[in-house]
Amino acid sequence: EAQVTQNPRYLITVTGKKLTVTCSQNMNHEYMSWYRQDPGLGLRQIYYSMNVEVTDKGDVPEGYKVSRKEKRNFPLILESPSPNQTSLYFCASSSPGQKGDTQYFGPGTRLTVL
Amino acid sequence: SQKIEQNSEALNIQEGKTATLTCNYTNYSPAYLQWYRQDPGRGPVFLLLIRENEKEKRKERLKVTFDTTLKQSLFHITASQPADSATYLCALAPYNQGGKLIFGQGTELSVKP
């Protein structure tokens, strides 16, 4: 089954404790992205990657890091999480073509930073 | 500044009526617009794409229009059903920025039986 998986689905942590949210896709997509979703602000792109070893900042990259060492994986790293990073995070993948960059979203990771 | 705006108010309609959702943008040159559906606690799901040189696209009960002069896309659901209740998101892909997608904040649609 074609899918995007994220782990963990739920995470409660404390300020300053480094964490990684993993994202994996099995559709051989070139593009992958991370978004955060906050009430009233909608989905905002954090980082995106157009292929292995190619990443670029989205609209809200501060406080986040990403890497793309393999095509299928795109982890999101929070080196020193802060309470304003409490949010719902989505990973997505896509492949340019007839449907443009149609994003296939993962199930989401709900992060709480205390 | 660059903005994408959707109806901020929730839309409540009666079953069987047509729902019309609006997406307006400023200071972008879009290559295309997409519409997604999102259910509570779930990731968005792609519905339709319309390119900047297209006026209208249809898929079953769904229709999207794109007016680059007005800088507006309209999303219609005809013969709406309670199962259509969800939040609908528009997303804009700027020209020459492959991989970048900017989402509106979404419009919550509620279809009453």
Side-chain angles (χ1 to χ4, degrees):
Chain A
E1 181 193 349
Q3 60 182 351
V4 178
T5 56
Q6 295 178 228
N7 282 293
R9 294 290 314 280
Y10 303 90
L11 179 60
I12 300 174
T13 189
V14 295
T15 298
K17 187 176 180 183
K18 180 179 178 180
L19 67 91
T20 299
V21 184
T22 64
C23 173
S24 184
Q25 52 96 2
N26 63 0
M27 294 170 277
N28 201 36
H29 284 166
E30 290 87 356
Y31 291 4
M32 296 186 76
S33 293
W34 275 103
Y35 297 87
R36 60 178 289 174
Q37 188 170 36
D38 303 288
L41 295 177
L43 275 165
R44 293 179 293 167
Q45 197 173 38
I46 303 171
Y47 269 95
Y48 61 97
S49 168
M50 295 173 71
N51 217 320
V52 175
E53 303 291 3
V54 180
T55 62
D56 210 344
K57 295 178 182 178
D59 294 319
V60 288
E62 295 77 19
Y64 304 94
K65 281 175 56 176
V66 292
S67 69
R68 186 95 182 272
K69 294 185 173 22
E70 305 164 284
K71 198 172 186 180
R72 62 183 294 128
N73 296 323
F74 191 43
L76 179 70
I77 302 154
L78 284 72
E79 295 270 5
S80 183
S82 62
N84 65 11
Q85 293 178 298
T86 292
S87 188
L88 180 58
Y89 290 86
F90 288 102
C91 179
S93 73
S94 64
S95 188
Q98 276 293 99
K99 289 186 181 175
D101 296 338
T102 301
Q103 306 274 307
Y104 293 83
F105 283 84
T109 295
R110 189 167 291 281
L111 172 66
T112 302
V113 184
L114 302 174
Chain B
S1 64
Q2 296 175 315
K3 282 194 297 187
I4 298 176
E5 291 184 322
Q6 298 184 243
N7 317 59
S8 55
E9 305 273 328
L11 185 60
N12 297 302
I13 65 168
Q14 206 66 33
E15 183 176 7
K17 301 291 187 186
T18 296
T20 298
L21 286 67
T22 305
C23 178
N24 295 300
Y25 62 93
T26 53
N27 296 325
Y28 280 112
S29 293
Y32 54 83
L33 275 170
Q34 296 175 328
W35 284 87
Y36 290 79
R37 169 185 172 137
Q38 186 175 24
D39 293 288
R42 310 285 293 269
V45 175
F46 171 79
L47 296 174
L48 279 171
L49 173 147
I50 187 163
R51 299 189 183 278
E52 56 88 26
N53 60 349
E54 296 174 320
K55 297 285 187 205
E56 182 179 299
K57 272 282 189 64
R58 290 175 185 262
K59 179 183 175 184
E60 297 171 355
R61 294 184 296 112
L62 308 179
K63 184 177 86 171
V64 175
T65 62
F66 195 3
D67 189 327
T68 53
T69 302
L70 292 178
K71 297 186 186 300
Q72 181 180 79
S73 175
L74 298 178
F75 177 77
H76 307 271
I77 306 175
T78 57
S80 59
Q81 304 165 359
D84 295 326
S85 298
T87 296
Y88 291 86
L89 307 169
C90 72
L92 180 152
Y95 259 115
N96 299 323
Q97 294 188 49
K100 195 166 178 67
L101 202 60
I102 300 108
F103 281 81
Q105 75 274 32
T107 298
E108 186 178 348
L109 172 67
S110 178
V111 181
K112 304 291 186 196

